[in-house]
Structures are given as C-alpha cells and as structure tokens.
Amino acid sequence: MLRIAVNRLSSSSSSSCRLNHTAMAKVIASNSNSTTISPFHISDSVISDHQALVHNLEACKLSSNLRAATGTHGRMIKIGYGMHQTLISSLISVYVSCGCSNLASQLIKEIPCWDFDLISANVIIAAFMKISEIDIAKKAFDDMPIRDVVSWNSMIGGFVKNGRFEEALRIFQEMLSLNNEPDAFTFASVIKGCAQLGGRDHAQWIHGLLIEKQIAINYILGSALIDMYSKCGRIETAKEIFETIQRNDVSVWNAMINGLAVHGLALDAIALFSRMVLEEVSPDCITFVGILTACSHCGLIELGRKYFDLMSSYAIRPQLEHYGAMVDLLGRAGRIDEAYAIIQELPMEPDVVIWRAFLSACRTQKNSHMGEVAINKIETLKSGDYVLLSNIYCSANKWDSAERVRDKMKKNGVRKNSGKSWIEMAGVIHRFKAGDQSHLEREAIYKVLEGLIRRTKMEGFIPTKELVLMDVSDEEKEENLNYHSEKLALAYGILKSSPGTAIQITKNLRTCLDCHCWMKVVSKILYRVIVVRDRIRFHRFEGGVCTCGDYW
DNA sequence: ATAGGGTTAG
C-alpha cells in the first residue's frame, strides 16, 4: 500500500541542542555540582527530593530551559532517581519541548524495561509523536495495560501530524471497535486527517459520527469541519456549517477564508473579510495570509497590495509569511523585479520559504539568471529545489545546465520525490504514483488511459514536452508524461464510475502543465466534470476549461 | 498528557 508523502513536518530542532550522548554527559556533569540547578531555587530541606525534581522539570518545561533540564537530569541520576519512570517521562517531554529530539530518543533507549503508569505513557506517546519517532510512540502505546481516551487521541493525532492518515483512521476504528468513546479531541484529529485525504465519503462519515455522538461543535471542531469540507471539494457544505455555528472566534473565519481561497474564490474571501470586520471579529496574522494567498492565486495584484498595507491598521506587523505571500503574488504575475525588491528590503532575514517562492516564480517566468540567484541562497537544497532549477534550464533550452543540475543531484544522493495522486471510490482511497504498476486492476486502468490518450490526440491535443527532462534518475526515465499519477487516478475513476458523474482526484504536488491541458480536453470529450485538488488549490475542469483560468 | 485556521517546492 502506498503512503501519502509527509509535507511540512513540524520538527523544530535548534542547532544549539544537537548534543550527542557524550556531550549530554558533559553537560550533566558540569551541572550536577552546581548550586543553581533549579530555576526556582527550591530548597531540598523544605520538600522531598522527588517533589523538588518534579517542580524543577515543570519549570524547565515552562521556560524551555535546556541547561536547567540537563542539570536536573544530572541530579536525578546523582540522588538515585535516574530510572524513575514518572520523572523520565517528564524529562523526555522537556527535552522535546526544548527541540532536543536526540536527547529524548537517547534517554528512552537507556530505559531497560518499560512499565510506565498511564499518564507517563501518555506523555511519552505525545512527546515521541511530536518528534516523529512513531515507532517509539507505538511501542509505548502497545505496551500499555490500560489506556484512556488521551492515549488513543495522542496516537491518532500523532499519526495525522506525521501525515499517516490511514494509520490514524485504522487506530480510530480500533478505538471504536473496543468500545472506547471518542471525544472532541479525537474528532478534531480525525477530521483533520480526512481533510488531508480529501475524500468526500470519509468527510461525510466522520461528520455523521460526530453528530451521532452528540459532541458539541466548538470553534475548534467548527474550523476543522469547514476546513475539511473545503478541502474535500464541498465548499457549499463548508459555507452551510460556517453559517450555522458560532462565529466569534477568528479561526472559524480563517478556515472559511482559506476554504474560499483554495477554490479560487478570492473575491468571496475578500467579501468575507469585510463581513468579519462588520461582525467585529478582529482579523489576525493568519487571516491576512489567507487573503494574500487568495489574491496571489487569482492574480489580484493591486488588491493584494491593498490588504498588505491594511495590516498595519489592525496593528499586525507583516511577518516573513506575509512577505512570502507578496513575493509569490508578484512573482507569479511575472513581476520578478518587484518580487526581488521586496526580498531585498525585508526588515528581517529571508528564509528558505521566501527563496523557494521566488525560485518558483523564476520557473514560471523562465528566468534562469534570477533562478541561480535564488538557488544560491538556499543552504540545504531539497529534491524539489533541484527539480525546479533543472526545469528552469529546460524551459530556457539550456539543456547542458539542466544536465549539470541533475548530475549534482545524483552526486549528492538526492532522489526526486514522486508525485502521488489518489481517488476515493466507494469509500476506499486508491493511490497512484507515476507509472504505478501496483494496483490490482492495473491492466484495465492502463487500457482506459491509453484509450483516452488516443482520443485526446485525435482531438488535437499536443503534449507539453518542455519539462520531460525533469525526470532525474535513470530508474525514473520510464515515467513519461502519459503515466503521471493524476492521469492514472483519472483512468481509475472513469473505469469505476457511471458516465456523466463528476470525478474528484487529490494530488500531493502542484498539477503539471501537461496534465492540466490534458484534463481540459478530457472533460470536453467525455462531457464530464473533473475536479483536481492539488497542493494549493482546486481545479474544476468542465467543457474544456478550468476554473483556475489557467493561472495557478 | 491529547484538539483549530497558514506562506514555498517537486
């Protein structure tokens, strides 16, 4: 079974915390004789050693004070609490919140036998899920003699955070089958997972279950539901929910504004912003991210500028992400110089996100010179960066330069992540990567696809080969345009659904130019609506045109 | 001890 790519894992590790075990021992040793172990200076004579350590760890966690944490760790060992399970779990949680995942992992490996009490085990699951040490979290969960709703929620939420939606759903099903009652926390995570999956049946199912369990829809669940229905292509249902729930929290508005934005309804998003102000809900920094990206994806340059300037009247100072949205807005619209000017005049240091937005603009504008400027600013190049640069050279007909990028990528051992698309049929998610051979019905799927390719050719469709060179490794050479993942998913949809019904596909990357053109033609010759949700927005193909107006 | 809405990229 294929797995969805994990996008944007939230692992925050500070460079100052990259200690190995020996270093850890040194820090501990240097602190254990110190008299200022506790940030609160609790005297041992007043309370017990154990209680003092508990207090210390609480304080360390609140202040994210690594030095104090290692100091406390040292003291724990010194006074014989080194293997105390409750303290260990607290310490692990402190190390994680300090961004020192390696210390947390090291520590758990030193525990010879795991017999954590309920709460300690829950702490450990949450901590290791946070740093994507899924196997450790799983082991802690599996070893528990008794679990409560928090244990289940931490596992489900952890899987969702790490992009493993199928496992999240599986464990949720297991929770239900063992007659454990889900609560609002459980639903928030499962709804988020369904949002990422993008399947309408899954969305309907979890919403129905939420109603059946009579769980009150607070602003968190409300935002999650709006987000889910938007991302599953049911913007109308999202709007209905928005109208019926309490809207006094900004996140509900943000979810709705972003929902409209991913559907390319920038003007509706802006109208909602005005209504929000009328209803006296203050926009926050995320509201503006939503509005600016809405403008960006629709090419509304002047409106984008207007809302960027409007931020100050709400006392919101633009952050990197707002500047990033502006770079994207201008770059996408072909105003490379203005985008570059924004970066140069930043009141803070540009991050990789900014440079990637700029690089992406260089790609759409086929500007290899500025693309080189951008790529040199990105310290650790990821596969996507190489692919973008290679694509820039290809579209500028600089084949030898493209070749050099691919060689460099190979030399550095970077593999291109393949695009994945999936489609929900009768409540089951079917996943495809480019040239996928793993589906049970592959023969029928390829037959449908080849038939479609013939028909689109007859219709005069010419493949856009400009980027074919982007296939980076030898093994992937056979991945040609005809078998891109979205085409396979579409073929499966056509194979399995009745004529005339709409087909909805979800993709983990941006849709490619060739596939986009092709989908338009297919929608026309089959008289069918095809909906593709890509990484940033929805495309609705009907009668040979797409709702994105070919601007994306 | 567990939950919501966010910018870039293939």
Side-chain angles (χ1 to χ4, degrees):
Chain A
M1 186 62 80
L2 297 169
R3 194 172 281 154
I4 295 171
V6 181
N7 289 318
R8 269 185 271 159
L9 284 186
S10 57
S11 62
S12 54
S13 63
S14 142
S15 58
S16 63
C17 300
R18 299 240 169 82
L19 298 170
N20 58 26
H21 190 47
T22 346
M24 179 166 95
K26 264 187 205 157
V27 178
I28 292 166
S30 70
N31 274 282
S32 52
N33 292 326
S34 154
T35 48
T36 54
I37 295 162
S38 159
F40 288 166
H41 303 287
I42 295 161
S43 161
D44 289 0
S45 57
V46 181
I47 52 174
S48 71
D49 284 344
H50 175 260
Q51 251 183 314
L53 290 167
V54 169
H55 283 212
N56 273 356
L57 290 171
E58 273 171 11
C60 295
K61 175 132 196 198
L62 284 174
S63 56
S64 291
N65 186 337
L66 176 65
R67 205 178 149 79
T70 48
T72 309
H73 190 179
R75 179 148 179 85
M76 270 167 63
I77 294 167
K78 197 179 169 193
I79 63 178
Y81 281 103
M83 284 294 143
H84 192 283
Q85 309 263 296
T86 313
L87 294 173
I88 292 277
S89 71
S90 302
L91 188 56
I92 284 171
S93 163
V94 174
Y95 282 150
V96 167
S97 64
C98 289
C100 299
S101 38
N102 47 353
L103 288 183
S105 306
Q106 187 61 49
L107 187 49
I108 196 82
K109 279 175 197 140
E110 287 171 6
I111 310 296
C113 65
W114 293 18
D115 54 346
F116 297 105
D117 61 90
L118 178 69
I119 291 178
S120 299
N122 287 347
V123 170
I124 282 168
I125 292 169
F128 285 105
M129 277 301 195
K130 201 170 175 183
I131 58 170
S132 303
E133 287 274 13
I134 294 163
D135 291 338
I136 298 178
K138 232 173 170 171
K139 180 171 160 38
F141 181 76
D142 290 341
D143 283 358
M144 291 173 84
I146 300 162
R147 298 165 187 147
D148 67 358
V149 67
V150 178
S151 327
W152 291 98
N153 290 352
S154 301
M155 287 302 286
I156 295 167
F159 278 128
V160 171
K161 260 193 210 94
N162 287 286
R164 293 166 58 159
F165 314 121
E166 260 141 2
E167 282 152 290
L169 290 176
R170 213 176 300 138
I171 201 165
F172 175 59
Q173 299 275 20
E174 192 189 338
M175 177 188 187
L176 296 177
S177 67
L178 293 171
N179 289 324
N180 289 283
E181 275 307 305
D183 63 7
F185 284 68
T186 327
F187 277 97
S189 294
V190 179
I191 290 169
K192 190 171 183 180
C194 290
Q196 309 265 25
L197 271 179
R200 291 161 170 254
D201 297 345
H202 278 80
Q204 186 83 50
W205 162 74
I206 194 64
H207 189 192
L209 207 54
L210 179 69
I211 293 166
E212 191 187 309
K213 296 287 179 190
Q214 298 187 326
I215 290 170
I217 297 181
N218 57 19
Y219 72 95
I220 291 176
L221 285 172
S223 324
L225 281 172
I226 291 167
D227 182 55
M228 175 179 76
Y229 276 119
S230 302
K231 290 194 171 131
C232 292
R234 289 180 53 171
I235 188 71
E236 292 305 323
T237 313
K239 284 188 201 167
E240 279 166 30
I241 290 172
F242 176 77
E243 296 300 340
T244 48
I245 62 171
Q246 274 221 330
R247 294 182 296 274
N248 47 14
D249 191 278
V250 64
S251 62
V252 177
W253 293 84
N254 291 348
M256 195 66 244
I257 285 173
N258 285 317
L260 293 166
V262 294
H263 282 269
L265 302 165
L267 295 177
D268 295 11
I270 287 168
L272 198 61
F273 180 90
S274 309
R275 194 177 139 198
M276 170 180 191
V277 175
L278 282 178
E279 293 191 23
E280 294 181 328
V281 178
S282 298
D284 66 3
C285 58
I286 293 173
T287 317
F288 282 99
V289 171
I291 292 285
L292 294 178
T293 50
C295 292
S296 170
H297 296 321
C298 290
L300 301 172
I301 300 162
E302 294 315 317
L303 270 173
R305 280 211 176 98
K306 181 187 147 189
Y307 280 90
F308 184 83
D309 293 337
L310 198 65
M311 289 177 68
S312 60
S313 51
Y314 292 95
I316 300 168
R317 190 181 299 157
Q319 300 294 304
L320 259 178
E321 45 265 50
H322 302 106
Y323 289 105
M326 289 309 285
V327 168
D328 189 52
L329 173 94
L330 294 164
R332 233 179 252 277
R335 305 193 184 187
I336 291 279
D337 296 340
E338 289 171 65
Y340 191 60
I342 289 202
I343 300 178
Q344 288 187 306
E345 287 158 21
L346 279 180
M348 63 279 269
E349 278 299 304
D351 64 352
V352 287
V353 177
I354 295 256
W355 285 116
R356 288 206 171 103
F358 187 70
L359 184 62
S360 162
C362 296
R363 153 73 195 97
T364 38
Q365 307 308 323
K366 305 179 182 179
N367 188 330
S368 57
H369 172 65
M370 292 313 269
E372 283 162 0
V373 172
I375 205 94
N376 287 325
K377 302 286 185 183
I378 302 174
E379 255 177 47
T380 331
L381 293 176
K382 292 207 282 184
S383 71
D385 303 322
Y386 289 101
V387 176
L388 263 180
L389 187 64
S390 162
N391 286 354
I392 292 173
Y393 287 133
C394 286
S395 52
N397 291 324
K398 296 184 175 173
W399 307 107
D400 48 332
S401 302
E403 193 80 34
R404 253 185 286 126
V405 174
R406 291 188 300 149
D407 286 346
K408 196 173 168 192
M409 184 173 175
K410 221 184 264 175
K411 207 180 80 199
N412 295 348
V414 181
R415 264 188 71 90
K416 175 180 167 285
N417 295 338
S418 60
K420 295 174 189 73
S421 299
W422 56 96
I423 182 168
E424 182 186 58
M425 278 289 150
V428 179
I429 305 282
H430 298 264
R431 233 172 285 274
F432 300 90
K433 57 182 184 185
D436 207 315
Q437 295 290 332
S438 64
H439 199 282
L440 282 174
E441 295 174 78
R442 64 180 172 276
E443 280 176 32
I445 294 168
Y446 277 85
K447 217 172 149 190
V448 169
L449 183 52
E450 271 143 27
L452 275 176
I453 289 164
R454 268 197 306 277
R455 289 184 65 183
T456 51
K457 269 203 184 123
M458 280 161 58
E459 200 68 21
F461 172 76
I462 302 158
T464 316
K465 289 184 188 149
E466 167 185 312
L467 301 177
V468 174
L469 247 158
M470 82 182 186
D471 283 344
V472 216
S473 69
D474 287 325
E475 307 96 283
E476 281 157 354
K477 273 191 179 155
E478 59 188 66
E479 272 185 25
N480 74 44
L481 289 172
N482 283 343
Y483 304 108
H484 270 179
S485 61
E486 52 265 61
K487 287 178 177 156
L488 288 167
L490 178 73
Y492 185 71
I494 287 168
L495 182 69
K496 288 290 167 181
S497 61
S498 344
T501 54
I503 294 176
Q504 186 168 318
I505 296 163
T506 312
K507 186 171 185 200
N508 67 336
L509 307 175
R510 295 271 293 277
T511 187
C512 93
L513 186 61
D514 180 67
C515 286
H516 194 268
C517 291
W518 190 77
M519 293 278 177
K520 288 199 284 190
V521 180
V522 174
S523 75
K524 189 174 160 194
I525 60 178
L526 293 186
Y527 297 100
R528 294 184 77 153
V529 172
I530 302 166
V531 178
V532 178
R533 181 187 114 187
D534 74 7
R535 248 190 74 65
I536 58 163
R537 63 164 293 158
F538 276 90
H539 300 264
R540 188 174 190 275
F541 303 93
E542 188 174 9
V545 290
C546 177
T547 48
C548 78
D550 301 336
Y551 189 93
W552 79 91

